[in-house]
Amino acid sequence: MEYKEILLNTAVCAIAADEIIDERETEALYRIEKKSPYFSSIDLEQTLESSLDKCMNDIESFIDSTLDCISTEDLNIAQELTLLEISLRLVAADDIVVEKEKQFIKRLRSVLKADDVIISERFGAIKYLGISKLEEKHGFEDKTKADDNITQIN
């Protein structure tokens, strides 16, 4: 499956995870499309509508299929972080992150190979994923102090 299709299906899963198609979430995806090359070759409006319909007919099956596809693809770290970033943005677009959305993000995280340290560096703490900020985990206030401590050890 082409990466852009995986990305769109993942976005659809994020939008539909709470079983409610919130206009703020779809509008967030349109804003992402306009500001980035992620969906450039896709007619997003038509494709999104049909994908959302398909997803809403059997959410669990659609999510399972999408996650299975992600787990079998050889995605690079940038692609994985993009999947996570867009999903996090979309579930937060309506200012409410419900348990079903958290469960989707957890399931998505479980099929990604990216290390928690990289995710923490990129997104900060995500408590429901068990990812804390690097300084919380290691007791450093910032990277500069961490570097100073390493220098002192040498």
Side-chain angles (χ1 to χ4, degrees):
M1 182 180 289
E2 189 176 327
Y3 178 69
K4 288 183 180 189
E5 188 177 347
I6 293 170
L7 187 58
L8 177 63
N9 287 347
T10 305
V12 166
C13 291
I15 290 169
D18 61 358
E19 300 177 15
I20 299 168
I21 307 301
D22 190 295
E23 188 175 302
R24 293 171 289 184
E25 293 169 338
T26 56
E27 288 301 317
L29 183 57
Y30 289 127
R31 282 192 305 278
I32 291 168
E33 177 214 15
K34 284 178 177 53
K35 293 180 180 179
S36 68
Y38 300 137
F39 302 102
S40 59
S41 66
I42 297 175
D43 177 6
L44 187 60
E45 190 168 349
Q46 184 176 0
T47 308
L48 179 60
E49 189 175 318
S50 66
S51 294
L52 282 169
D53 287 343
K54 182 178 177 185
C55 181
M56 291 303 286
N57 284 330
D58 189 353
I59 291 174
E60 284 306 312
S61 177
F62 192 92
I63 290 174
D64 289 345
S65 173
T66 300
L67 295 176
D68 285 346
C69 184
I70 292 168
S71 70
T72 59
E73 289 291 320
D74 188 24
L75 302 176
N76 64 44
I77 189 69
Q79 291 171 321
E80 287 192 359
L81 291 176
T82 300
L83 291 174
L84 190 55
E85 176 180 2
I86 288 177
S87 296
L88 290 168
R89 284 183 178 193
L90 293 174
V91 300
D94 61 0
D95 298 320
I96 303 165
V97 180
V98 298
E99 191 58 36
K100 286 182 180 182
E101 291 169 321
K102 290 178 184 179
Q103 289 303 318
F104 167 70
I105 298 294
K106 286 178 184 178
R107 290 182 65 195
L108 173 61
R109 171 65 189 105
S110 74
V111 298
L112 301 177
K113 297 174 193 103
D115 189 85
D116 283 350
V117 172
I118 294 171
I119 293 172
S120 173
E121 282 289 310
R122 176 69 180 94
F123 304 110
I126 307 172
K127 291 189 189 275
Y128 61 87
L129 289 180
I131 297 175
S132 58
K133 288 185 180 177
L134 199 55
E135 61 267 14
E136 291 172 2
K137 193 171 191 173
H138 299 288
F140 299 124
E141 291 180 30
D142 61 37
K143 291 180 200 171
T144 307
K145 289 187 178 180
D147 290 341
D148 290 345
N149 288 341
I150 290 170
T151 304
Q152 290 172 0
I153 293 171
N154 293 330

